[in-house]
């Protein structure tokens, strides 16, 4: 009956700590956090014994963060479809936390001169073919060591010790392995931003599946007729594949806009350095998809140089590469919902590194669920809400919405569409909705879900199954 319980069960029920009681406790804890997500543990668990239980579990050495992440990753893999392309968006971020007394197990994040402390994270986020988030396949978390004298922006660490080699690449490998273990027919398409333009990463991604990575470095490419050539000039001189008109979502720096993009395609071999072999380079055959905003532009013109190993021989294939890179927005939205937004993971006051990682993994599953509902309501607006909500939740939603509806809104009995239900949930969460063309985001949806949980609890206690069924007919 309890929908949050069923969700928590599917997300964490597989966690293996060698003791089923620990798994059971984690599921209960997740169900509570799903109902009432907050960054501060004490605000989620308000009853004394339950709160102590939560702290005990987070501090329990037998419950490793690795096992918690593994359970979440496998649950995501199971939700993926076999025989379909699954987009694996990999992105780094950091969670910064207050630590005035310097008593927490954190490291430095951002520029050293700012003294910000926190934890570095790489997420591998699965997005399906429609662009709907499926969840997290892997999370790598680490804290930076104290600054050593030589480490600076322009002093390279030995390749084998870089964050790319120690955290990014293993996270990607684990994510792909998890997906292929449960869904051997799924085709991974790895997507990364400019941070992923790294020789080691590109070689690995190329060996694991299809990839799209935005180029950051103007690398040497295979010479032509004995003349040296560079990647960016090859990209700009590519064959034109016409223009496309696309919606560009808003960023903190600028509003959403409609952009006209020119697409050019070239095929070449980029020469990737072999770090353990002097100045030698290893060629990798790629297609270069060059995307540039044309026409009048206010602010910075959008310009992407995308490296891919996908075949790009037609306009449709070029569009597919651009679409794959646009799926990267999903992970940015997820980071917002997770770190700030309704989950507010950065507000945690926990001290131990392990406890923090366990706790933010748990909050991450809550955030990705809200992102999934949001995106699903946009890509499948006419589907019935029953694909995401239990019957009792729908009945509770109808009652709750009736209480706050205005005089022209109609709230009939029966199962609403996903779009309508999501709008009602957001209304419960305080969605203003007076900007034309805007749709509710994950923060209001999550607040609405919290409100709905209270109504659902009441409906569960005071209504029989028969009554619920009757209302939905
Ligand atoms: Mn990034």
């Amino acid at each position: 009956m309890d929908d949050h319980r069923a969700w928590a069960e599917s997300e964490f029920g597989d966690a293996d700590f060698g003791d089923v009681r620990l798994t059971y406790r984690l599921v209960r804890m997740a169900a509570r956090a799903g109902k009432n997500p907050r960054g501060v543990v004490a605000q989620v668990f308000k009853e004394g014994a339950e709160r102590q239980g939560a702290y005990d579990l987070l501090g329990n050495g037998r419950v490793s963060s690795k096992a918690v992440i593994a359970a979440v990753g496998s649950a995501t893999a199971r939700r993926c479809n076999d025989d379909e392309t699954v987009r694996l968006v990999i992105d780094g971020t950091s969670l910064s936390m207050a630590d005035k007394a310097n008593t927490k197990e954190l490291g430095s994040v951002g520029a050293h001169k700012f003294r910000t402390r926190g934890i570095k994270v790489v997420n591998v986020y699965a997005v399906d073919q429609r662009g709907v988030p499926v969840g997290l396949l892997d999370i790598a978390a680490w804290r930076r060591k104290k600054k050593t004298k030589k480490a600076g922006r322009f002093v390279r660490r030995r390749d084998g010790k870089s964050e790319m080699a120690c955290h990014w690449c293993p996270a990607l490998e684990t994510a792909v392995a998890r997906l292929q273990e449960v869904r051997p027919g799924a085709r991974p398409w790895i997507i990364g931003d400019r941070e992923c333009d790294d020789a080691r990463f590109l070689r690995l991604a190329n060996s694991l599946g299809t990839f799209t990575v935005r180029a950051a470095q103007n690398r040497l490419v295979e010479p032509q007729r004995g003349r040296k050539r560079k990647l960016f000039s090859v990209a700009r001189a590519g064959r034109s594949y016409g223009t496309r008109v696309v919606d560009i979502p808003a960023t903190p720096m600028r509003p959403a806009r409609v952009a006209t993009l020119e697409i050019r395609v070239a095929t070449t071999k980029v020469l990737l350095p072999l770090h353990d072999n002097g100045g030698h380079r290893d060629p990798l055959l790629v297609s270069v998809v060059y995307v540039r905003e044309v026409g009048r532009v206010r602010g910075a013109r959008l310009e992407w140089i995308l490296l891919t190993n996908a075949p790009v021989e037609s306009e449709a294939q070029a569009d597919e590469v651009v679409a794959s890179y646009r799926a990267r927005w999903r992970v940015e939205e997820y980071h917002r919902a997770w770190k700030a937004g309704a989950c507010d993971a950065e507000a945690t006051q926990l001290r131990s590194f392990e406890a923090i990682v366990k706790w933010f993994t748990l909050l991450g599953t809550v955030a990705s669920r809200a992102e999934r509902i949001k995106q699903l309501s946009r890509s499948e607006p006419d589907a019935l809400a029953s694909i995401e909500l239990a019957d009792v939740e729908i009945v509770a939603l109808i009652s709750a919405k009736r209480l706050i509806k205005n005089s022209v809104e109609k709230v009939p009995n029966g199962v609403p569409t996903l779009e309508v239900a999501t709008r009602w949930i957001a209304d419960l969460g305080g969605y203003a909705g007076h900007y034309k063309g805007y749709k509710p985001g994950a923060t209001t949806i999550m607040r609405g879900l919290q409100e709905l949980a209270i109504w659902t609890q009441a409906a569960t206690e005071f209504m029989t199954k028969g009554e619920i069924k009757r209302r939905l007919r």
Side-chain angles (χ1 to χ4, degrees):
M1 211 58 183
D2 187 339
D3 180 58
H4 289 276
R5 184 57 190 268
W7 161 79
E9 187 84 51
S10 72
E11 204 74 71
F12 296 98
D14 263 16
D16 185 8
F17 311 116
D19 182 345
V20 289
R21 289 169 301 177
L22 295 174
T23 307
Y24 176 77
R25 271 185 236 154
L26 180 65
V27 167
R28 260 203 342 209
M29 207 174 136
R32 171 67 77 196
K35 223 179 246 185
N36 180 31
R38 291 280 194 286
V40 178
V41 176
Q43 288 176 358
V44 176
F45 307 94
K46 289 176 181 155
E47 189 265 324
E50 195 187 27
R51 181 183 298 169
Q52 194 53 51
Y55 284 131
D56 288 347
L57 199 71
L58 290 171
N60 190 325
R62 287 160 68 204
V63 179
S64 75
S65 61
K66 284 256 183 311
V68 176
I69 293 167
V72 170
S74 309
T76 300
R78 282 196 300 273
R79 281 196 298 269
C80 289
N81 290 327
D82 224 334
D83 230 36
E84 208 184 87
T85 297
V86 178
R87 287 165 180 163
L88 270 61
V89 185
I90 182 163
D91 197 26
T93 186
S94 50
L95 284 99
S96 37
M97 289 152 210
D99 184 19
K100 280 187 185 156
N102 213 350
T103 52
K104 298 181 185 172
E105 293 177 359
L106 303 174
S108 110
V109 296
H112 278 287
K113 64 178 175 187
F114 292 125
R115 295 176 174 275
T116 314
R117 309 214 5 112
I119 291 176
K120 299 280 293 175
V121 184
V122 163
N123 285 314
V124 187
Y125 194 53
V127 177
D128 74 12
Q129 267 178 348
R130 300 167 297 177
V132 176
V134 188
L136 289 149
L137 279 170
D138 195 39
I139 304 172
W142 70 97
R143 53 200 173 112
R144 284 194 179 142
K145 298 266 156 48
K146 274 226 174 72
K147 185 182 173 184
T148 52
K149 228 182 177 178
K150 269 184 112 178
R153 198 188 148 120
F154 299 104
V155 180
R156 286 233 176 140
R157 299 178 76 182
R158 289 241 307 286
D159 179 54
K161 286 188 176 166
S162 65
E163 291 186 339
M164 198 38 93
C166 296
H167 305 291
W168 289 71
C169 290
L172 180 62
E173 272 178 297
T174 309
V176 172
R178 259 179 210 143
L179 176 65
Q180 283 173 341
E181 194 190 326
V182 229
R183 296 285 179 258
R187 296 180 297 276
W189 188 324
I190 298 148
I191 297 145
D193 63 7
R194 282 180 287 185
E195 230 177 325
C196 295
D197 183 9
D198 170 276
R200 182 184 283 264
F201 185 90
L202 290 171
R203 270 189 224 111
L204 176 67
N206 186 51
S207 72
L208 293 175
T210 311
F211 71 81
T212 308
V213 168
R214 185 171 169 196
Q217 307 186 47
N218 196 3
R219 295 178 186 279
L220 276 175
V221 301
E222 199 186 29
Q224 208 175 34
R225 286 181 227 105
R227 277 173 51 194
K228 271 193 181 175
R229 293 190 307 162
K230 290 278 198 103
L231 176 66
F232 291 180
S233 57
V234 168
R236 290 184 184 119
R239 195 144 65 91
S240 175
Y241 273 56
T243 58
R244 311 278 186 284
V245 177
V246 298
D247 291 318
I248 306 288
T251 71
M253 306 303 286
R254 59 199 278 175
R257 67 189 193 278
V258 175
T260 308
L261 306 178
E262 183 200 10
I263 298 176
R264 288 179 179 272
V265 177
T267 304
T268 187
K269 283 179 182 162
V270 286
L271 304 177
L272 301 176
L274 289 163
H275 291 282
D276 42 10
N277 193 4
H280 290 283
R281 287 165 204 275
D282 188 25
L284 177 70
L285 181 66
V286 290
S287 289
V288 188
V289 178
Y290 176 68
V291 182
R292 182 173 180 267
E293 192 172 355
V294 292
R296 274 180 57 183
V297 184
R298 276 165 58 194
R301 197 175 287 275
L302 184 148
E303 187 180 32
W304 295 338
I305 294 170
L306 305 176
L307 304 176
T308 181
N309 60 350
V312 192
E313 273 134 31
S314 64
E315 284 197 10
Q317 285 174 329
D319 284 344
E320 218 182 325
V321 173
V322 177
S324 74
Y325 195 71
R326 291 177 66 207
R328 232 191 56 76
W329 284 110
R330 299 285 95 81
V331 79
E332 303 288 351
E333 291 166 347
Y334 163 72
H335 283 165
R336 195 177 162 273
W338 180 47
K339 288 161 53 169
C343 278
D344 209 13
E346 287 183 324
T348 179
Q349 293 165 327
L350 296 164
R351 283 155 201 266
S352 106
F353 174 78
E354 267 287 293
I356 296 171
V357 175
K358 283 183 241 176
W359 179 236
F360 75 47
T361 301
L362 212 145
L363 290 176
T365 61
V366 179
S368 74
R369 186 183 182 218
E371 282 296 330
R372 181 178 163 78
I373 294 177
K374 175 186 96 180
Q375 215 54 50
L376 212 50
S377 75
R378 293 179 190 182
S379 73
E380 318 258 304
D382 302 324
L384 288 178
S386 40
I387 61 169
E388 278 294 309
L389 300 174
D391 285 353
V392 61
E393 283 183 304
I394 295 172
V395 170
L397 179 60
I398 291 169
S399 318
K401 174 62 191 173
R402 278 184 184 151
L403 200 71
I404 57 166
K405 77 178 200 65
N406 65 29
S407 56
V408 294
E409 280 179 309
K410 293 212 163 45
V411 184
N413 279 340
V415 180
T417 64
L418 203 50
E419 186 180 31
V420 170
T422 307
R423 174 64 204 253
W424 290 351
I425 290 172
D427 287 340
L428 291 182
Y431 178 60
H434 43 229
Y435 294 109
K436 224 175 158 187
Y438 277 62
K439 295 201 171 103
T443 306
T444 38
I445 291 176
M446 208 130 50
R447 279 192 202 125
L449 285 171
Q450 287 170 32
E451 192 83 2
L452 179 62
I454 302 168
W455 284 82
T456 307
Q457 179 79 35
T460 310
E461 280 182 27
F462 300 116
M463 289 173 84
T464 63
K465 277 188 185 160
E467 267 178 280
I468 292 169
K469 281 258 143 28
R470 211 169 330 113
R471 290 255 199 137
L472 290 180
R473 259 206 304 267

